Amino acid sequence: MTEQYVLDLQQVDATQVAVVGGKGAHLGALSGIDGIRVPGGFCVTTDAFRRVMAQVPSIEDRLDQLARLDPDDREGIRTLSAQIRRTIEGIAIPGDLATAITRALARFGEQAAYAVRSSATAEDLPTASFAGQQDTYLNVMGPTAILQHISRCWASLFTERAVTYRRRNGIDHRAVHMAVVVQRMVFPHAAGVLFTADPITGNRKTATVEAGLGLGEALVSGLVNPDVFTVRHDEVVAKAIAAKTRALRALPAGGTEEMAIDSRRQEQPALTDAQVVQLVRLGRRIEAHFGRPQDIEWCLADDHFQIVQSRPITTLFPVPVTGDQENHVYVSVGHQQMMTDPMKPLGLSVWQLTAMAPMHEAGGRLFVDVTQPLASPTSRAALLDLIGRGDPLVRDALETVLDRDDFVPSLPDAGPAGPPASGAPAPIETDPAIVTQLIERNEASVDALRRDIRTKSGPELFDFLLEAFADHKRVLGDPLSMQAIMAGMEATWWLNDKLGEWLGEKNAADTLTLSAPGNVTSEMGLALLDVADVVRRQPEVVAFLQGVEDEGFLEELPKLAGGAEVRDAVEAYLDRYGMRCVGEIDITRPRWRERPTTLVPVILDNVRNFEPGAAERRFEEGRQKARQKEQDVLSRLRALPDGDRKADEAKRMIDRVRTFIGYREYPKYGIISRYFVYKQALLEEAERLVRAGVLPEQEDVFYLTFQEFHDAVRSKQVDDRLIRQRKDAFRSYQALTPPRVLTSDGEALTGAYRRDDVPAGALVGLPVSAGTIEGRARVILDMAEADLEAGDILVTAYTDPSWSPLFVAIAGLVTEVGGLMTHGAVIAREYGLPAVVGVAQATRLIRDGQRIRVHGSDGYVEILP
């Protein structure tokens, strides 16, 4: 193939990123949009870059060194990248390449002024903007200067910031090449940036225009404050006009300089409202062409807008696709399930197929559409009450949407109201046999699943699984199971409300539920203490475990003194709990049975921090505290007016909560037990596809939906491009923070606590487990990296049931996500740990090792000096 060194922008389209880089491809595409003006120019292609790089001495060795450097080794990156830049800038541009560039200049005006702009092959992409990573040079004049600045652009691929950005985003330095855009210089009256969606709230119906006088570089680089206009439905709905004391202008002989603005012009807007609306209309045309919101750099010269750059806004959270134009309000499933990380497509589709409510996917997360229940007054009140008890931030975010009278339609009540979210207890007896019956029924169902799935493979497996999913939903939706869960929750609410009213007790149920029987998640944490008791007796095994990295370590244990006994203890634990893992609602996440090394640091912490018999002692201590609290509460109630009635009611509710609250954790255990059975069968099917040459790797099926996996098994074909696209999308979703509430306009709402009873500087959250504790904060984002001492306070993003083995070793808990009845809160109460959840950015605002005080009754955290 003949190498192309120069292409006019008019010859370029969006498919040519590999040839002209992200910026060049976007500018070429922009040039082809009807009604959009783009300054004329050309691209020096990546062929030219490769030609020059081939002349750089020992470049391969230097790129190897660069790849080995830690992204945090700033000094090493600075030194090596500077050496590479100097070498590239010192290479003479080959004669035929220089000739091709000067010929292109002659077409556009050899002595005109130009902007010389870097355009890397990994920038302005849907998943990574790379904004500001490479260099742009303005008002460059004459062929010699332009050639020199093209070399500088090539070298800017190796600026310290660009190298670090690639390392942090897992992008190979060799995989990125540099093209250069050379465009006729525009000398604007005004310039700036247009966001076709609100970059802060994510609202797709709101556009933001930032405008300043002179060259836009002053605004982009932060040299001046811009005017800011907010536009909605072709109308400027808000504006803030900045005082303009300085601007950047082009010099006649080349280059740029700062200039002072005449005092009479300093308070004048850079654009009229009519110009702002005109610009946003152009932006909407560009957005429609690229199919997603855009970050657009523009210039205004001679009363015409020229577009000098457009890139996707990569920080916006995607919106669920509905296929209609109606308004929708979505609530995050991940915030309820303690799993705010993105899920892979197979995980998303299996959860959707087994969930009790329709769920919509966006950004690798799941959302429930609550527009309909919000529309009628009675169902709205019930929904807000139920959600508000669990997570006040979600309720506040929903109320923010409802305050906008025009967004959620108001419908009449469809019929008689359902039962209130709280109030009279569910109509079942306080009978422990109910819980026993429910657990036995579920275990029988899982045993039948294990038995029946063994003989299924190929398309028959998928047909079987669809039937199993229906059975899964039937078990999950068992009315008796729902009544038992609600009975425990409602009794908790009743005790907190009534004992607060009658005795002034705050969160009394937290103590009354300590060591409640039958909680499979808290039992899981205590059972690992029992495993530690077995390990502790074998010093040789303890020493071995401290160096374990390989997942096959269990097979090595019998070779050590006492190792067989330890292996049996760990195996027994995995038989009961090995289906669990962090992020367990995603079937694709590795389970403890698949990755038992995850448990090793926790076992070693337990060996170090506890004495033998700790599990039984802790459970009994909790039971005694709950019993003492019950006696105390009842005796104080009897001393009140009408005290015997109040004490009798409270006693009934205490018995009720202790009978049913432990069962709250069991349905999730049942779901995840089934998931592991499904997963093992699906992985066997994936392995057959690998053996047949249909798939390169078993785990590639994680990037297919359940239906696509089914189709692949039937057809023995897989679209490799689809899997690559899904992997790229999943990586991009990892950088996004899912909102608690999302609207169809794209507005992401996190909610606020709106409290004034918290000390200045404290971090506000939701009180979920009573008590106050002071200690060392351990900020842990990966359970496998836990290193806890007695008295530490765990600070993390979220805790699902898999984190409960850590709870036995800590003194308190702080999480960024959570509600009153989510798993972390339930287990914290079971273990008597003061806990505050829903603390925004806790893992960033609290540093590992800082001393903090957790106010579990009042819902805030203090960072201590």
Side-chain angles (χ1 to χ4, degrees), residues 342-391:
M343 296 167 68
K344 296 189 177 81
L346 186 62
L348 289 164
S349 62
V350 170
W351 189 263
Q352 286 171 305
L353 287 165
T354 53
M356 300 304 293
M359 292 186 181
H360 305 265
E361 184 272 332
R365 279 80 168 187
L366 291 169
F367 294 85
V368 173
D369 188 341
V370 295
T371 317
Q372 199 165 353
L374 284 177
S376 72
T378 304
S379 59
R380 179 190 310 147
L383 177 69
L384 291 175
D385 184 47
L386 185 62
I387 282 178
R389 281 186 175 276
D391 189 338

Side-chain angles (χ1 to χ4, degrees), residues 754-805:
R754 310 195 187 282
R755 290 173 53 188
D756 54 12
D757 59 342
V758 172
L763 308 180
V764 185
L766 179 65
V768 295
S769 184
T772 301
I773 193 71
E774 189 177 305
R776 179 180 69 156
R778 292 311 316 269
V779 180
I780 298 173
L781 299 178
D782 181 351
M783 182 179 153
E785 294 174 6
D787 181 14
L788 295 165
E789 300 287 348
D792 283 348
I793 297 170
L794 174 62
V795 179
T796 191
Y798 63 82
T799 60
D800 60 11
S802 71
W803 285 76
S804 66

Side-chain angles (χ1 to χ4, degrees), residues 674-696:
R674 290 170 174 276
Y675 265 31
F676 193 38
V677 180
Y678 306 153
K679 183 179 186 180
Q680 287 171 309
L682 289 169
L683 282 176
E684 285 178 22
E685 210 54 50
E687 186 54 39
R688 291 187 186 97
L689 292 180
V690 172
R691 287 199 300 269
V694 178
L695 280 178

Side-chain angles (χ1 to χ4, degrees), residues 496-627:
N496 281 336
D497 290 347
K498 291 297 185 183
L499 297 182
E501 177 190 335
W502 292 339
L503 298 176
E505 282 267 356
K506 192 179 283 187
N507 301 326
D510 292 1
T511 307
L512 292 167
T513 54
L514 286 173
S515 297
N519 187 319
V520 70
T521 307
S522 61
E523 287 168 1
M524 180 169 69
L526 296 174
L528 206 60
L529 284 177
D530 291 336
V531 173
D533 285 353
V534 178
V535 173
R536 192 183 291 107
R537 295 195 294 266
Q538 313 297 343
E540 200 175 323
V541 172
V542 172
F544 169 74
L545 290 178
Q546 285 165 347
V548 157
E549 291 180 4
D550 185 82
E551 297 300 341
F553 74 94
L554 289 171
E555 295 167 19
E556 300 297 312
L557 282 174
K559 299 173 186 175
L560 307 172
E565 185 188 3
V566 170
R567 182 202 56 194
D568 292 348
V570 175
E571 286 285 356
Y573 186 85
L574 291 173
D575 286 344
R576 178 120 169 91
Y577 304 111
M579 79 294 287
R580 311 219 81 150
C581 67
V582 173
E584 61 192 9
I585 70 168
D586 181 353
I587 198 172
T588 72
R589 297 285 280 255
R591 312 283 137 176
W592 290 344
R593 171 55 82 183
E594 297 167 315
R595 197 173 288 176
T597 53
T598 306
L599 295 173
V600 170
V602 191
I603 293 170
L604 290 172
D605 280 351
N606 288 350
V607 167
R608 186 175 68 248
N609 293 331
F610 294 95
E611 296 296 323
E616 190 176 342
R617 271 198 312 279
R618 283 183 67 108
F619 187 80
E620 185 55 30
E621 283 167 10
R623 211 166 61 85
Q624 292 297 339
K625 283 182 186 172
R627 181 180 293 170

Side-chain angles (χ1 to χ4, degrees), residues 34-252:
D34 186 42
I36 302 299
R37 296 179 183 226
V38 176
F42 59 91
C43 295
V44 181
T45 68
T46 53
D47 284 343
F49 171 76
R50 278 190 286 267
R51 170 93 179 270
V52 168
M53 287 295 284
Q55 297 176 240
V56 177
S58 62
I59 187 64
E60 292 297 319
D61 289 345
R62 295 189 195 191
L63 292 180
D64 283 341
Q65 290 176 46
L66 209 52
R68 286 195 295 269
L69 289 176
D70 188 291
D72 295 322
D73 181 3
R74 297 184 61 179
E75 188 55 43
I77 290 173
R78 184 180 300 124
T79 302
L80 188 52
S81 58
Q83 289 172 6
I84 296 172
R85 287 199 307 277
R86 281 195 301 272
T87 306
I88 294 171
E89 288 183 35
I91 299 289
I93 296 178
D96 58 332
L97 177 49
T99 300
I101 294 168
T102 51
R103 273 204 207 107
L105 281 171
R107 289 197 302 278
F108 290 97
E110 197 169 280
Q111 297 308 314
Y114 288 86
V116 182
R117 314 172 70 193
S118 305
S119 179
T121 55
E123 69 174 10
D124 296 354
L125 304 179
T127 57
S129 76
F130 281 73
Q133 297 308 311
Q134 282 86 40
D135 290 346
T136 288
Y137 302 96
L138 301 178
N139 204 27
V140 182
M141 302 172 76
T144 303
I146 286 168
L147 289 171
Q148 181 187 26
H149 284 83
I150 288 170
S151 287
R152 288 183 180 174
C153 284
W154 288 332
S156 76
L157 192 64
F158 297 98
T159 60
E160 181 188 346
R161 64 182 182 275
V163 168
T164 303
Y165 189 95
R166 286 196 296 273
R167 290 285 286 116
R168 291 195 190 286
N169 284 275
I171 296 168
D172 185 349
H173 301 302
R174 286 184 182 80
V176 184
H177 300 115
M178 181 68 82
V180 181
V181 176
V182 181
Q183 280 179 287
R184 282 289 296 258
M185 187 71 191
V186 178
F187 300 99
H189 156 72
V193 181
L194 158 64
F195 298 97
T196 63
D198 188 314
I200 306 301
T201 68
N203 195 318
R204 307 315 199 256
K205 300 266 178 81
T206 300
T208 301
V209 174
E210 296 183 349
L213 299 175
L215 293 170
E217 194 67 18
L219 186 151
V220 173
S221 63
L223 187 67
V224 298
N225 291 325
D227 295 342
V228 180
F229 301 86
T230 304
V231 178
R232 192 171 171 87
H233 303 311
D234 273 354
E235 182 186 354
V236 176
V237 294
K239 57 185 168 184
I241 307 304
K244 300 167 196 63
T245 56
R246 294 179 296 169
L248 201 64
R249 69 172 181 181
L251 293 169

Side-chain angles (χ1 to χ4, degrees), residues 304-316:
H304 291 293
F305 284 106
Q306 301 239 32
I307 305 302
V308 295
Q309 188 159 328
S310 183
R311 62 168 73 93
I313 308 175
T314 58
T315 55
L316 299 177

Side-chain angles (χ1 to χ4, degrees), residues 359-494:
M359 292 186 181
H360 305 265
E361 184 272 332
R365 279 80 168 187
L366 291 169
F367 294 85
V368 173
D369 188 341
V370 295
T371 317
Q372 199 165 353
L374 284 177
S376 72
T378 304
S379 59
R380 179 190 310 147
L383 177 69
L384 291 175
D385 184 47
L386 185 62
I387 282 178
R389 281 186 175 276
D391 189 338
L393 291 177
V394 175
R395 175 174 183 146
D396 184 76
L398 290 174
E399 287 176 334
T400 301
V401 177
L402 289 167
D403 285 344
R404 297 167 193 154
D405 295 335
D406 58 341
F407 194 82
V408 177
S410 190
L411 302 174
D413 287 329
S422 64
I428 59 172
E429 294 299 314
T430 303
D431 181 0
I434 293 172
V435 173
T436 305
Q437 175 192 346
L438 286 167
I439 290 172
E440 287 173 351
R441 200 184 294 175
N442 186 79
E443 287 181 347
S445 175
V446 174
D447 287 343
L449 172 67
R450 286 195 188 102
R451 182 187 65 241
D452 296 344
I453 205 169
R454 285 182 194 137
T455 58
K456 307 297 187 288
S457 64
E460 187 191 6
L461 170 68
F462 290 84
D463 295 336
F464 172 82
L465 282 172
L466 288 172
E467 292 176 16
F469 294 166
D471 187 55
H472 178 125
K473 290 166 77 168
R474 183 187 57 74
V475 172
L476 201 58
D478 182 339
L480 187 62
S481 177
M482 299 302 294
Q483 286 178 313
I485 291 169
M486 289 309 298
M489 290 167 64
E490 287 165 352
T492 301
W493 297 334
W494 189 96

Side-chain angles (χ1 to χ4, degrees), residues 29 77 106 217 275 408 419 572 597 671 721 734 750:
I77 290 173
E217 194 67 18
Q275 287 172 326
V408 177
T597 53
I671 292 170
R721 286 173 309 168
Q734 288 175 309
T750 54

